[in-house]
Amino acid sequence: MDNNHYARILNEIAALSQIKGVNRFKIRAYENAARTVENLTEPIDARIEDDTVEDIKGIGKSIAEDLREIHETGTCTVHTELLSELDPGLLDLLEIQGLGPKRIKAIYEELGVCDLPSMKEAAESGEIQKLSGLGKKTEQKILAEIERLERHAGRTPLPQARRTALSIRDRLAKLDAVDRIEIAGSIRRGRETIGDIDVLVTTDDPQAVTDAFVSLTDVAEVLVSGETKTSVRLVGGIQVDLRVVDEDLFGSALHYFTGSKEHHIELRTRAKRAGLKISEYGVFKTDDDETLVASKTEEDIYAALDLPYIPPEIREGHGEIEAAEEGRLPDLIEMSDVRGDLHMHTTETDGRASILEMAQAAKELGWSYIAITDHSQAVTVANGMTPERFEAHIEAIKKANDEIDDFTILSGIEVDILKDGSLDMDHDLLAAADWVVASVHSYFNMETDKMTERLLAAIETGLICEMGHPTGRMLGGRDGYTYDMDAVLEAALEHGVAMELNGSTGRLDFNAENARRAQSRGLKLVLGSDAHSTQGLSAIEYAVQQARRGWLTADDVLNTLPVDELLKSVRPKH
Ligand code: DGT
Ligand code: CA
Ligand code: CA
Ligand code: ZN
């Protein structure tokens, strides 16, 4: 089971305990343990298996016991008892952003609201605003949140689903019976949210694979069990389809189950015109013998249709087949094109590693430079820097830079764009820094015009290199703020500001669509991990995948450049 599953159960215990009203220390212990598990670099499974889970700082004896139980059964008694005493629907209410266990407790106790439908009803009939401490504004926010949750219903954010999928793949790959195993479906295409996980295997012992699959500890329910397809629901609620396919047909099966449906529909039309048909079993002639033309590899499938290989990330029916026909498929950016990472935090603000630790970890990933971009003082919760601290931090970064060979640490900041569009730092310090990311972290709900003015004012300072997470959306969470995107992109182009594609797992912001829009207007993009720890640096993978979904090439992305060229590509009037 992946660590997130453990963390989720612990977080839920903390929240449910708060609703139930148990003592504060216990709640705090679960919250802390959840955070510890989230930040652990190694699989908690391994620590349980070698019986060292109690040695982890922040995990006490009784929570260690819970973790062992989760390891065995997917859940634990504390969790199931809380749910049976309270109401399972409360877990959905915890998804309402900005409400929190304390207020849910009040609404639950006073109105008997115990799930999303009853919450919706109470909010629509104006019952919520009558409660003390909960006004009309909160009630409207609750309704907007429920509407958002309904929109995302049943879908899981990509990073979470992908981690779960990789964990399943890796456990099954260890079986002797498994020859080949691949994740297909929307995860392979890198879609932002995932309906279910699709896994393909080749084996000469299907029964052994199926048995092992349904016996995985995090399987809650077997939905379908057949000779070639088995579907299960995991304890977290996500469905996994496992298909056993013939080795000779692996390419056509992988292609079929990778989708998208839209891509397939267009391909089928094209195949028909050429007297061919295409299915999960291959490409066939539509003659009487139904001669098999291709099935082994995906390249073979496309070649049979007289097309170059189309990468999974752009198989969405967004013009890729036409582009392939006309030989203008973009040469999509790859991980190996990336030379550095331009957004990360250290212990100076809300990160967990030092400047040098971040640099060393980045160097190990193969980067040749990074920018250290800690927060400015407006972000008090992140211990943002005053000008004095930033000045000292720039010096500390320069010093660290001298201590690491063949690597450049750029001095930078993630400066807040304040409500009026001014930047939360002295301008001479921003000018002195190598890399300035500017981001919005407050007042997300401004009117469109006001937000546009705010961003334009920030861009027009001429001090910004990069607009950080440019819409503020949280994946499967808060929607982004709205502004006149064309006006902002135009100003960014004029002032040499790159737009970030933030790969941190909660964000993926810009999304692929906006990235493509920026690129088509001639803007450059920057990939950033927004790492708050050394492990967080690997989030660049997600940024690359979303960049590919946005049809971006290495030329569209600034951090594929050597550092000197990178610095020349932004804030030209600086
Ligand atoms: P999801 O799971 O909603 O995030 O999206 P996908 O794309 O993973 O969709 P899913 O799991 O329903 O099916 C996986 C792929 O298998 C899909 O992209 C295309 C293919 N596929 C499955 N069932 C059908 C079908 O009934 N018609 C067509 N054309 N393709 C299908
Ligand atoms: Ca799927
Ligand atoms: Ca599926
Ligand atoms: Zn930020």
Side-chain angles (χ1 to χ4, degrees):
M1 235 166 317
D2 67 315
N3 288 1
N4 283 295
H5 177 74
Y6 291 95
R8 214 195 67 235
I9 303 257
L10 298 178
N11 273 319
E12 288 177 359
I13 293 175
L16 292 168
S17 304
Q18 214 172 331
I19 295 172
K20 190 184 158 197
V22 309
N23 87 52
R24 290 257 292 280
F25 294 110
K26 203 167 162 189
I27 296 168
R28 187 59 64 78
Y30 276 103
E31 282 171 351
N32 288 342
R35 209 151 321 130
T36 303
V37 170
E38 275 164 15
N39 296 330
L40 208 64
T41 43
E42 60 198 319
I44 197 109
D45 279 341
R47 300 296 296 248
I48 290 171
E49 278 152 24
D50 60 20
D51 205 21
T52 58
V53 69
E54 262 165 71
D55 303 344
I56 304 170
K57 204 169 143 255
I59 307 250
K61 209 171 167 152
S62 86
I63 292 181
E65 193 47 52
D66 295 334
L67 293 173
R68 280 191 284 267
E69 210 185 331
I70 299 170
H71 182 66
E72 293 286 315
T73 66
T75 180
C76 66
T77 320
V78 185
H79 188 254
T80 46
E81 277 181 357
L82 279 165
L83 280 179
S84 64
E85 277 171 57
L86 298 161
D87 240 298
L90 290 172
L91 292 182
D92 298 332
L93 296 184
L94 291 168
E95 301 283 317
I96 299 178
Q97 305 280 312
L99 202 56
K102 218 166 128 191
R103 291 199 274 184
I104 293 174
K105 178 182 168 69
I107 301 171
Y108 178 58
E109 284 172 354
E110 304 208 18
L111 302 175
V113 162
C114 61
D115 54 16
L116 281 177
S118 56
M119 179 66 94
K120 192 176 183 181
E121 209 181 301
E124 276 170 350
S125 59
E127 297 288 327
I128 305 279
Q129 54 173 299
K130 289 186 201 150
L131 300 181
S132 81
L134 295 166
K136 200 175 164 123
K137 232 177 159 174
T138 310
E139 191 172 78
Q140 280 166 348
K141 255 185 125 170
I142 290 175
L143 281 173
E145 271 292 295
I146 293 178
E147 189 260 329
R148 181 184 64 77
L149 289 169
E150 284 171 349
R151 242 184 307 133
H152 292 295
R155 300 191 68 83
T156 308
L158 171 68
Q160 218 172 306
R162 183 163 171 268
R163 274 194 297 263
T164 304
L166 292 177
S167 152
I168 288 181
R169 183 197 66 186
D170 293 345
R171 279 178 283 161
L172 293 180
K174 287 195 191 121
L175 299 174
D176 287 339
V178 168
D179 293 326
R180 207 173 156 186
I181 181 158
E182 296 276 354
I183 296 162
S186 48
I187 295 183
R188 183 160 181 248
R189 304 199 310 280
R191 205 177 147 185
E192 293 173 1
T193 63
I194 302 302
D196 68 6
I197 297 172
D198 301 282
V199 185
L200 302 183
V201 290
T202 64
T203 175
D204 40 26
D205 190 354
Q207 194 60 47
V209 176
T210 308
D211 288 347
F213 178 55
V214 300
S215 319
L216 292 174
T217 48
D218 37 351
V219 169
E221 191 187 351
V222 179
L223 305 170
V224 180
S225 178
E227 209 163 298
T228 57
K229 180 184 171 186
T230 307
S231 295
V232 301
R233 188 172 302 290
L234 301 180
V235 275
I238 193 163
Q239 180 178 327
V240 188
D241 295 343
L242 178 83
R243 291 182 174 84
V244 173
V245 306
D246 196 278
E247 205 187 312
D248 289 335
L249 307 183
F250 196 79
S252 48
L254 182 61
H255 181 257
Y256 182 83
F257 292 110
T258 294
S260 70
K261 218 171 190 163
E262 291 71 23
H263 179 76
H264 283 321
I265 289 169
E266 280 189 36
L267 266 191
R268 243 176 274 140
T269 314
R270 182 183 168 82
K272 216 177 206 168
R273 279 202 308 264
L276 297 167
K277 66 171 201 170
I278 170 168
S279 77
E280 62 186 286
Y281 306 109
V283 180
F284 300 87
K285 285 191 181 150
T286 40
D287 59 15
D288 290 340
D289 304 333
E290 302 216 331
T291 317
L292 177 67
V293 186
S295 70
K296 274 208 172 64
T297 68
E298 286 192 320
E299 282 80 0
D300 295 344
I301 306 287
Y302 285 107
L305 299 167
D306 200 16
L307 291 172
Y309 177 77
I310 301 178
E313 292 89 344
I314 60 169
R315 295 182 198 164
E316 294 291 348
H318 291 163
E320 68 277 7
I321 294 171
E322 204 183 332
E325 271 169 1
E326 294 168 5
R328 38 178 196 83
L329 272 184
D331 185 9
L332 300 181
I333 181 168
E334 291 173 20
M335 268 302 270
S336 58
D337 295 320
V338 178
R339 295 188 195 230
D341 185 347
L342 297 165
H343 189 163
M344 67 190 64
H345 301 270
T346 69
T347 46
E348 180 63 26
T349 60
D350 58 347
R352 282 185 296 274
S354 68
I355 301 167
L356 212 49
E357 283 166 345
M358 292 302 274
Q360 272 148 356
K363 194 176 171 186
E364 268 168 43
L365 279 180
W367 305 156
S368 56
Y369 55 84
I370 55 170
I372 298 290
T373 56
D374 276 303
H375 289 289
S376 62
Q377 60 186 333
V379 197
T380 47
V381 290
N383 183 29
M385 298 179 289
T386 58
E388 293 69 33
R389 277 175 58 203
F390 181 40
E391 199 172 2
H393 200 39
I394 292 178
E395 287 312 310
I397 294 167
K398 286 188 179 149
K399 193 165 157 276
N401 187 42
D402 291 337
E403 287 168 28
I404 185 165
D405 294 332
D406 306 319
F407 192 87
T408 306
I409 313 176
L410 298 172
S411 62
I413 185 169
E414 179 178 16
V415 63
D416 254 56
I417 300 175
L418 300 174
K419 195 178 176 187
D420 62 358
S422 60
L423 299 177
D424 182 31
M425 185 51 66
D426 294 358
H427 283 197
D428 53 341
L429 289 176
L430 294 177
D434 298 317
W435 194 259
V436 176
V437 182
S439 308
V440 168
H441 291 117
S442 60
Y443 301 103
F444 300 111
N445 297 327
M446 285 168 78
E447 278 169 44
T448 305
D449 288 355
K450 284 270 180 304
M451 187 60 89
T452 307
E453 282 172 30
R454 179 183 182 183
L455 298 181
L456 291 179
I459 291 169
E460 281 159 10
T461 61
L463 291 165
I464 302 178
C465 304
E466 169 191 347
M467 182 70 80
H469 41 73
T471 76
R473 72 96 174 249
M474 298 303 281
L475 196 54
R478 171 180 84 211
D479 284 339
Y481 38 83
T482 52
Y483 52 90
D484 180 345
M485 177 84 68
D486 288 321
V488 167
L489 292 179
E490 193 175 315
L493 189 59
E494 187 192 330
H495 290 275
V497 176
M499 306 308 278
E500 181 180 38
L501 209 166
N502 185 302
S504 86
T505 53
R507 294 191 184 270
L508 306 187
D509 174 25
F510 263 165
N511 66 10
E513 192 185 340
N514 284 327
R516 193 172 177 189
R517 182 162 163 190
Q519 183 263 9
S520 71
R521 294 187 68 110
L523 275 112
K524 296 296 182 188
L525 286 106
V526 164
L527 310 184
S529 68
D530 202 349
H532 286 72
S533 63
T534 51
Q535 321 67 296
L537 291 167
S538 61
I540 288 280
E541 266 181 60
Y542 288 99
V544 168
Q545 196 179 28
Q546 293 309 307
R548 289 169 66 82
R549 283 179 68 76
W551 292 50
L552 303 188
T553 66
D555 288 343
D556 300 318
V557 174
L558 291 183
N559 41 332
T560 61
L561 295 171
V563 69
D564 48 334
E565 286 177 47
L566 165 82
L567 294 175
K568 277 188 244 152
S569 311
V570 287
R571 45 179 194 182
K573 291 173 204 155
H574 170 65

